[in-house]
């Protein structure tokens, strides 16, 4: 079985395009694991050749692969018009048997030495299909099936392509540290940054026994789901119970969520520097909750010097939920195990805190020793890595 992959955004790259293609090929090879598939790149196209019993594995990999916009099962034949027409008719029969009632032919002749131009190929193939299958009719505007012919180093024929994720290959944009909770937003944020080529680790803040072990397992499951898109992810679990109790006992109740977020950001930055990550990634969406007003975002960012990426900042909850459903995290995110932020939320949180007030309250908590203890006690677990 032969698959044709369309690289999309990579075609816009200049002199460093080969670096992006090399990473894409490496990622795909890792995803395909032990299937013994053959990967080939020619003239801006990637091809995967595999045995029939590996089709499901290959198609699952292509559905999780950033860096391509689409793929199609492809027929390859000699570069003669008769061979091309034969394969077009065979493809049409399969599409019709799958339920398509109308079709359209498109042709791209990259190899100009082929004696028939694109228009001639389309006419000849269309006429042959109508002769062989008069019940399969042409619709050039809204066809049920599109049959594409590409004349390259060989002749390629394929039906309607499957859409892929697009974006850039994971590993072409450095490493980030994702603040991962058990909610809906942060896994989606990680997925979106993977789509811009970023590898990542994740940090989860646990407050046992106030948050149960099931909460941590929920986060690990979420990490495994997004890890299938990110080429794996290392999750660092940090015990934050003592820090949360210090904040709860030593700060005004309306400030507890903001101060907890400041502590989390500070700890996440330390882990990021330890892992060589160049930024933090959060699932914050502007004004979605009290801690995410623009004033409170300024407070929670005030002690961090690394860039903070917030890919969901302008998205509403409905759009975030739709994306979570699409990538497979939603059903896990809504499991009824709360995280530490929810359990320690005040009844009347500060809505528009001032950075100077936040800094003063935070310094007064004297968290340095507890922060060091939490940081050095972090436990790492690998999630979603492919077999190499």
């Amino acid at each position: 079985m032969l698959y044709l992959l369309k690289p999309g955004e990579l075609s816009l790259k200049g002199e460093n395009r080969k670096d992006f293609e090399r990473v894409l090929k490496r990622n795909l090879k890792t995803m395909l694991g032990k299937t013994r598939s053959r990967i080939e790149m020619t003239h801006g196209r990637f091809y995967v050749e595999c045995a029939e019993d590996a089709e499901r594995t290959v198609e699952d990999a292509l559905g999780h692969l950033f860096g391509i916009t689409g793929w199609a099962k492809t027929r390859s034949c000699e570069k003669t018009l008769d061979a091309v027409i034969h394969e077009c008719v065979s493809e049409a029969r399969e599409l019709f048997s799958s339920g398509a009632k109308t079709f359209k032919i498109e042709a791209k002749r990259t190899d100009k030495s082929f004696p028939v131009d694109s228009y001639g190929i389309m006419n000849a193939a269309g006429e042959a299909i109508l002769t062989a299958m008069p019940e399969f009719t042409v619709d050039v505007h809204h066809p049920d099936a599109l049959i594409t012919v590409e004349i390259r180093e060989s002749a390629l024929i394929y039906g309607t392509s499957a859409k892929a994720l697009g974006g850039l290959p994971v590993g072409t944009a450095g490493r980030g540290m994702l603040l991962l909770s058990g909610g809906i937003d942060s896994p989606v944020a990680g997925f979106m940054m993977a789509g811009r080529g970023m590898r990542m680790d994740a940090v989860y803040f646990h407050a046992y026994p106030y948050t149960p072990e099931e909460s941590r397992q929920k986060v690990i499951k979420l990490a495994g789901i997004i890890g299938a898109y990110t080429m794996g992810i290392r999750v660092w679990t940090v015990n934050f119970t003592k820090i949360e109790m210090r904040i709860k006992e030593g700060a005004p109740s309306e400030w507890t969520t903001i101060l907890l977020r400041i502590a989390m950001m500070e700890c996440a930055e330390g882990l990021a520097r330890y892992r060589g990550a160049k930024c933090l990634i959060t699932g914050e969406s502007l004004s979605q909750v009290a801690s995410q007003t623009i004033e409170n975002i300024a407070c929670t960012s005030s002690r961090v010097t690394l860039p903070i990426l917030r890919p969901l900042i302008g998205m509403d909850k409905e759009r975030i939920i739709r994306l979570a459903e699409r990538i497979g995290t939603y059903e896990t995110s809504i499991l009824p195990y709360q995280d530490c932020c929810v359990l320690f939320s005040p009844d009347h949180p500060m809505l528009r805190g001032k950075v100077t007030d936040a800094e003063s309250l935070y310094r007064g908590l004297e968290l340095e020793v507890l922060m060091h203890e939490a940081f050095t006690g972090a436990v790492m677990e690998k999630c979603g890595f492919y077999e190499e």
Side-chain angles (χ1 to χ4, degrees):
M1 182 59 62
L2 182 67
Y3 290 86
L4 168 67
L5 282 54
K6 301 179 180 180
E9 190 174 344
L10 268 65
S11 62
L12 303 177
K13 299 301 177 183
E15 294 181 358
N16 61 346
R17 175 174 172 171
K18 290 185 177 180
D19 293 333
F20 285 83
E21 291 175 339
R22 175 181 52 78
V23 175
L24 177 60
K25 184 175 182 178
R26 181 192 68 197
N27 291 351
L28 182 56
K29 183 178 180 181
T30 300
M31 286 180 161
L32 295 179
K34 299 178 181 179
T35 62
R36 290 186 289 185
S37 302
R38 186 172 66 88
I39 304 169
E40 184 178 344
M41 185 186 68
T42 307
H43 302 300
R45 286 283 200 268
F46 275 84
Y47 303 93
V48 176
E49 189 173 3
C50 69
E52 287 189 14
D53 60 3
E55 286 184 35
R56 181 173 295 183
T57 300
V58 171
E59 292 179 12
D60 181 68
L62 297 180
H64 287 82
L65 180 67
F66 281 110
I68 61 171
T69 58
W71 56 269
K73 286 184 179 180
T74 305
R75 300 167 181 269
S76 178
C77 65
E78 295 180 16
K79 286 197 290 187
T80 66
L81 186 59
D82 287 344
V84 168
I85 289 173
H86 175 78
E87 294 298 340
C88 284
V89 173
S90 297
E91 184 69 26
R93 291 188 189 282
E94 285 198 13
L95 292 168
F96 186 78
S97 66
S98 298
K101 302 300 181 184
T102 60
F103 74 95
K104 176 184 177 181
I105 300 283
E106 285 189 354
K108 304 172 184 178
R109 187 183 60 149
T110 302
D111 180 1
K112 301 303 181 184
S113 68
F114 192 77
V116 184
D117 64 13
S118 298
Y119 185 72
I121 295 169
M122 289 188 286
N123 281 342
E127 183 179 347
I129 292 170
L130 292 172
T131 299
M133 307 169 58
E135 67 275 24
F136 202 15
T137 58
V138 174
D139 184 343
V140 297
H141 298 295
H142 302 289
D144 296 331
L146 175 66
I147 299 173
T148 301
V149 179
E150 294 192 17
I151 306 298
R152 294 176 171 270
E153 60 279 355
S154 63
L156 304 172
I157 297 93
Y158 53 91
T160 303
S161 300
K163 289 186 177 180
L165 297 173
L168 298 173
V170 173
T172 57
R175 183 181 298 275
M177 178 65 70
L178 171 67
L179 278 77
L180 182 62
S181 72
I184 296 170
D185 301 337
S186 56
V188 175
F191 169 84
M192 291 183 68
M193 293 315 304
R196 300 314 304 156
M198 182 160 282
R199 293 286 313 248
M200 66 193 76
D201 286 21
V203 55
Y204 166 63
F205 296 98
H206 197 47
Y208 185 82
Y210 300 100
T211 50
E213 172 61 16
E214 288 85 353
S215 295
R216 191 188 71 83
Q217 290 298 329
K218 174 183 172 181
V219 170
I220 295 301
K221 184 176 180 180
L222 287 170
I225 295 171
I226 63 171
Y229 298 96
T230 65
M231 306 304 299
I233 187 168
R234 289 175 172 83
V235 180
W236 299 82
T237 298
V238 179
N239 189 327
F240 241 43
T241 305
K242 293 181 180 179
I243 290 174
E244 293 199 37
M245 295 308 300
R246 173 71 63 85
I247 292 171
K248 188 173 180 63
E249 294 167 358
S253 62
E254 65 271 20
W255 278 94
T256 53
T257 299
I258 296 175
L259 295 172
L260 177 58
R261 290 287 298 175
I262 293 174
M264 288 178 172
M265 297 288 264
E266 186 173 19
C267 185
E269 182 177 51
L271 277 171
R273 294 189 183 282
Y274 170 73
R275 285 290 296 154
K278 305 301 183 184
C279 65
L280 303 183
I281 304 163
T282 77
E284 292 166 300
S285 174
L286 186 62
S287 298
Q288 183 175 197
V289 294
S291 65
Q292 294 172 15
T293 63
I294 191 62
E295 293 85 356
N296 287 350
I297 286 175
C299 291
T300 57
S301 308
S302 60
R303 296 180 68 86
V304 174
T305 58
L306 285 178
I308 303 171
L309 305 184
R310 300 178 173 92
L312 311 186
I313 197 68
M315 295 175 64
D316 61 33
K317 197 68 175 184
E318 184 177 342
R319 288 176 62 198
I320 298 169
I321 288 174
R322 286 201 303 268
L323 188 48
E325 290 172 335
R326 174 186 161 197
I327 66 176
T329 57
Y330 179 74
E331 293 300 326
T332 300
S333 291
I334 62 174
L335 292 174
Y337 304 117
Q338 294 180 321
D339 63 27
C340 54
C341 291
V342 173
L343 290 173
F344 286 82
S345 295
D347 293 332
H348 303 288
M350 175 66 66
L351 293 178
R352 305 190 188 281
K354 294 181 179 180
V355 172
T356 52
D357 293 340
E359 281 287 304
S360 177
L361 289 169
Y362 191 79
R363 285 195 301 270
L365 293 169
E366 298 181 343
L367 295 176
E368 291 82 5
V369 173
L370 295 180
M371 188 70 74
H372 178 74
E373 181 181 334
F375 180 85
T376 55
V379 177
M380 186 273 287
E381 187 169 346
K382 292 183 177 180
C383 303
F385 280 85
Y386 291 87
E387 290 185 0
E388 305 224 6

